[in-house]
């Protein structure tokens, strides 16, 4: 890379400006990081609750089915009981044994039907009660999750309200600062920045190592970074290197730097 910059800025100034831009960018990144997790969490919680509500609806439909089955069985029982009353009356006026026996058989079968219905009604009622318990548990879970979701939503809204303005201001700062940096250099900076998850494109040399990838920076290269005659990059990760003192200098001279900005070609920072 090692691009030469515009004549009216020294390499030191360029590095300082880039480092400054990086600082603002890192602030933007950390805000987006906090924000970035919450919307996903809110979405996940909403999906989870939606899933539980679907299960709840299914359970309620199942209860309806059991209710229908119980009613059906109850009706069979009632019918059988009426039939038995009728049959018993008939039995009183039979003409012979055979007729009597035949009616007895019918009564017996009807009683078996009643028994079976009782068994079924018991079975369905047990299943239904079991479902009612599950529904109660599910409703409690939905309530609990909904409450947690509301807290998260409020938190997200608060963060958005707080950070929207801050982000806008920071973006504006990047735009202003990037106007002081050579267009091509800024484009390279942006390219490096986008290729790393931590968004660091310019890093300091710390304890003989690159502050981005922590690989050793050879002494000759370190010297060149110190000399600030050209833009040096890390051989391993390609990040722009600056020297630690510079970072401190930047902090110290930050306010003094202001008037210098309008000198170079402008480049809008698109983030
Ligand atoms: Zn590196």
């Amino acid at each position: 890379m090692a691009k030469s910059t515009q004549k009216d800025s020294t390499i030191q100034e360029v590095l300082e400006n880039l480092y400054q831009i990086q600082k603002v960018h890192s602030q933007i990144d950390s805000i987006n990081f906090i924000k970035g997790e919450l919307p996903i969490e809110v979405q996940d919680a909403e999906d989870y609750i939606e899933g539980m509500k679907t299960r709840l609806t299914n359970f309620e439909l199942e209860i309806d089915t059991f209710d229908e089955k119980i009613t059906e069985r109850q009706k069979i029982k009632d019918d059988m009981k009426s039939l038995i009353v009728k049959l018993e009356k008939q039995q009183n006026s039979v003409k012979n044994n055979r007729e009597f026996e035949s009616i007895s058989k019918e009564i017996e079968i009807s009683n078996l039907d009643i028994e079976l219905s009782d068994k079924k009604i018991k079975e369905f009622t047990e299943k239904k009660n079991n479902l009612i318990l599950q529904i109660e548990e599910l409703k409690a879970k939905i309530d609990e999750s909904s409450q947690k979701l509301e807290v998260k939503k409020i938190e997200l809204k608060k963060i958005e309200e707080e950070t929207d303005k801050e982000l806008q201001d920071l973006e504006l700062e990047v735009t202003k600062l990037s106007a002081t940096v050579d267009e091509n250099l800024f484009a390279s900076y942006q390219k490096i920045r986008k290729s790393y998850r931590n968004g660091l494109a310019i890093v300091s040399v710390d304890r003989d190592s690159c502050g981005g990838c922590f690989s050793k920076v050879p002494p000759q290269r370190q010297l060149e970074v110190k000399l600030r005659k050209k833009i040096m990059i890390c051989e391993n990760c390609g990040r722009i290197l600056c020297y630690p003192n510079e970072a401190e200098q930047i902090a110290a001279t930050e306010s003094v730097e202001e008037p210098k900005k309008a000198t170079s070609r402008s480049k809008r920072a698109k983030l």
Side-chain angles (χ1 to χ4, degrees), residues 50-253:
E50 208 44 53
M52 284 195 290
K53 281 183 178 166
T54 308
R55 272 179 73 199
L56 185 68
T57 311
N58 289 340
F59 281 168
E60 279 163 350
L61 285 176
E62 257 187 273
I63 286 202
D64 287 347
T65 313
F66 283 129
D67 278 340
E68 277 165 25
K69 283 178 174 171
I70 291 168
T71 313
E72 218 172 86
R73 280 292 164 180
Q74 197 59 53
K75 190 173 179 304
I76 294 173
K77 255 180 82 175
D78 291 345
D79 287 351
M80 286 305 125
K81 276 180 187 166
S82 327
L83 181 67
I84 290 169
V85 172
K86 220 169 98 190
L87 288 170
E88 278 170 348
K89 261 187 201 161
Q90 274 180 29
Q91 225 172 16
N92 289 335
S93 53
V94 289
K95 289 170 191 115
N96 52 46
N97 253 355
R98 194 194 258 172
E99 237 179 283
F100 186 89
E101 284 301 314
S102 151
I103 292 173
S104 290
K105 265 251 142 48
E106 250 187 280
I107 291 173
E108 203 183 312
I109 290 167
S110 301
N111 272 321
L112 283 177
D113 266 345
I114 290 172
E115 246 177 71
L116 180 68
S117 291
D118 277 336
K119 215 180 127 194
K120 287 284 174 195
I121 287 170
K122 198 176 163 235
E123 189 188 313
F124 295 146
T125 307
E126 271 171 18
K127 282 185 178 166
K128 186 186 150 181
N129 288 339
N130 192 22
L131 269 178
I132 289 170
L133 280 181
Q134 281 180 272
I135 284 175
E136 275 167 18
E137 277 174 29
L138 203 54
K139 276 183 176 167
K141 261 193 197 171
I142 290 173
D143 279 350
E144 198 195 325
S145 301
S146 301
Q147 277 168 20
K148 282 184 187 166
L149 174 64
E150 273 320 297
V151 173
K152 277 202 174 98
K153 272 184 166 173
I154 291 166
E155 202 184 328
L156 178 62
K157 203 170 167 243
K158 214 179 128 209
I159 287 177
E160 272 171 349
E161 278 168 4
E162 280 172 6
T163 57
D164 280 356
K165 174 82 180 74
E166 202 180 340
L167 280 174
Q168 265 179 16
D169 291 348
L170 290 170
E171 307 273 2
L172 197 70
E173 214 178 321
V174 168
T175 310
K176 275 203 283 182
L177 283 167
S178 62
T180 65
V181 178
D182 174 79
E183 215 172 293
N184 291 331
L185 179 64
F186 189 69
S188 301
Y189 161 87
Q190 288 284 65
K191 205 176 154 198
I192 304 168
R193 199 178 119 69
K194 284 198 178 99
S195 61
Y196 289 107
R197 286 188 69 179
N198 63 9
L200 290 180
I202 177 164
V203 293
S204 58
V205 179
D206 190 18
R207 283 175 219 156
D208 302 332
S209 306
C210 161
C213 69
F214 307 111
S215 69
K216 286 271 170 230
V217 179
Q220 179 57 37
R221 215 172 180 78
Q222 278 189 55
L223 186 68
E224 283 184 274
V225 176
K226 264 185 211 173
L227 285 172
R228 300 171 185 121
K229 293 274 182 240
K230 56 179 178 176
I231 307 260
M232 299 301 296
I233 60 162
C234 167
E235 285 174 307
N236 184 54
C237 67
R239 288 181 174 101
I240 301 162
L241 295 172
C242 62
Y243 209 71
N245 288 340
E246 212 170 304
E248 287 157 29
Q249 273 174 19
I250 289 161
T253 56

